[in-house]
Amino acid sequence: MHPGPYNPPPGAYPPPGPYGRNVPRYGHPGAGSRRGGCSCLKVYCCCCCCLFITLVLIIGGIVLAYFIIKPHTPKFSIDKFEVKSFNISDDFSLKSHLEITAKADNPNKYIEITYGEGKEPKDNSVQVLYSNVTLCSGTIPNIFQPKKNVTMIKIDLKGDLKKEDWAAGSGESLASKLKNNDKIPLLVAIKAPVKVKLGSWWVGKDEPLVVSINATMNVKNLAEGKNPEISDKNYSIGLLFGKTYTKLS
Ligand SMILES: *[C@@H]1O[C@H](CO)[C@@H](O)[C@H](O)[C@H]1NC(C)=O
Ligand SMILES: *[C@@H]1O[C@H](CO)[C@@H](O)[C@H](O)[C@H]1NC(C)=O
Ligand SMILES: *[C@@H]1O[C@H](CO)[C@@H](O)[C@H](O)[C@H]1NC(C)=O
Ligand SMILES: *[C@@H]1O[C@H](CO)[C@@H](O)[C@H](O)[C@H]1NC(C)=O
Ligand SMILES: *[C@@H]1O[C@H](CO)[C@@H](O)[C@H](O)[C@H]1NC(C)=O
């Protein structure tokens, strides 16, 4: 062994270990490789940290956006029944023409809504049923509703029922209720394709959401030239997106 840069005399440096000459310069090779692992660990930790902070920022952003946008479900109600014709004859054939006014309330400050513009005709329907028999039907007109807006949607419904279209006894019971001017329990079943616009971003542009509204009510004075009274309204609202169905209320 010659004393030299790689082989210092004993005393100047700690005695060389079993790993020899590299000791003074680079330290313990094991320690060196461990330090390499440490810096790897640091990078890994750094990545984790960054990822975590990014995730926190994204979640925070979403929460903040949610509270700024404050999305509210639009409200619907059936406000008016107008009877253009509603004649039930002695053999229980019924020609009807009703105009329903539905009130759509969009309370959102940042969300705009389009109703009635759907891909499939089955997603746009309005039916008036009495004891499971459809009296008349129609569709939702195509309506664009701006933010913070209340729109009255007029829906034209027509029906032509024959004697054989009634389920057991329902024609007779409707005729007798009409005659006595009793309350008539009706179900208005609405299916409407809906597109939602947030800024310039459309939700359901190609695949509209379908809102399903079932409104049960009692209607009195259901006759031409009279002013029908609606009472005991109950609504059930659901949302169809693709094949999934969510009940909202
Ligand atoms: C319905 O009845 C009213 C009066 O009873 C009559 O004037 C009208 O022509 C009838 N409508 C139909 C479609 O039969
Ligand atoms: C309507 O049909 C459903 C299922 O088909 C049945 O459960 C319900 O009792 C019916 N309602 C009336 C009033 O007939
Ligand atoms: C709601 O929007 C409709 C359609 O754009 C418009 O005709 C109506 O005036 C608006 N109503 C209110 C209360 O802003
Ligand atoms: C409406 O719903 C309430 C509670 O869900 C029920 O008590 C009431 O009888 C319903 N009214 C009608 C007309 O179905
Ligand atoms: C409304 O009624 C129809 C048929 O009875 C049913 O398929 C649909 O799920 C109902 N929608 C809601 C929101 O209750």
Side-chain angles (χ1 to χ4, degrees):
M1 268 211 190
H2 309 280
Y6 298 112
N7 275 316
Y13 296 96
Y19 301 102
R21 31 158 100 171
N22 284 348
V23 169
R25 214 177 189 195
Y26 305 109
H28 199 282
S33 74
R34 215 180 295 136
R35 206 193 288 147
C38 195
S39 67
C40 230
L41 204 70
K42 265 188 201 156
V43 170
Y44 179 73
C45 276
C46 221
C47 277
C48 275
C49 247
C50 282
L51 206 71
F52 180 71
I53 291 172
T54 312
L55 214 68
V56 166
L57 285 178
I58 289 173
I59 292 172
I62 291 171
V63 169
L64 192 69
Y66 186 86
F67 279 103
I68 291 173
I69 296 165
K70 277 194 217 133
H72 294 289
T73 327
K75 293 184 195 73
F76 302 97
S77 58
I78 307 287
D79 257 32
K80 220 169 114 192
F81 256 87
E82 207 175 308
V83 184
K84 304 259 166 113
S85 71
F86 202 86
N87 289 3
I88 193 159
S89 52
D90 293 339
D91 69 347
F92 310 122
S93 63
L94 170 69
K95 262 198 164 63
S96 57
H97 183 186
L98 305 179
E99 190 179 82
I100 288 184
T101 305
K103 184 167 136 190
D105 181 357
N106 175 16
N108 292 291
K109 246 200 273 184
Y110 297 99
I111 294 173
E112 297 167 304
I113 304 171
T114 297
Y115 299 99
E117 200 181 69
K119 240 184 359 190
E120 307 209 31
K122 71 170 174 54
D123 290 340
N124 184 344
S125 74
V126 181
Q127 296 184 311
V128 176
L129 294 99
Y130 171 78
S131 123
N132 284 352
V133 177
T134 303
L135 302 183
C136 49
S137 59
T139 56
I140 300 260
N142 199 335
I143 280 175
F144 174 76
Q145 184 172 40
K147 40 202 135 175
K148 281 220 163 275
N149 175 277
V150 177
T151 299
M152 296 300 192
I153 304 175
K154 289 203 164 166
I155 306 162
D156 214 37
L157 303 164
K158 284 180 180 167
D160 192 358
L161 277 180
K162 301 276 177 291
K163 190 173 150 187
E164 59 274 15
D165 296 330
W166 294 100
S170 50
E172 287 90 330
S173 82
L174 179 63
S176 107
K177 282 193 166 71
L178 283 167
K179 206 174 184 180
N180 303 328
N181 199 16
D182 286 341
K183 285 180 178 171
I184 297 164
L186 294 179
L187 165 67
V188 180
I190 298 175
K191 266 213 228 165
V194 167
K195 295 178 194 175
V196 171
K197 194 180 174 206
L198 178 61
S200 55
W201 181 53
W202 283 98
V203 180
K205 188 169 173 57
D206 300 316
E207 181 88 14
L209 304 159
V210 178
V211 176
S212 160
I213 304 169
N214 288 345
T216 56
M217 60 194 75
N218 287 320
V219 181
K220 233 183 139 173
N221 287 341
L222 192 62
E224 231 171 303
K226 286 201 188 164
N227 205 4
E229 283 167 31
I230 309 174
S231 57
D232 314 310
K233 284 187 276 188
N234 260 0
Y235 297 94
S236 142
I237 299 177
L239 199 61
L240 270 164
F241 184 66
K243 292 228 164 5
T244 51
Y245 178 80
T246 316
K247 197 153 173 110
L248 294 179
S249 61

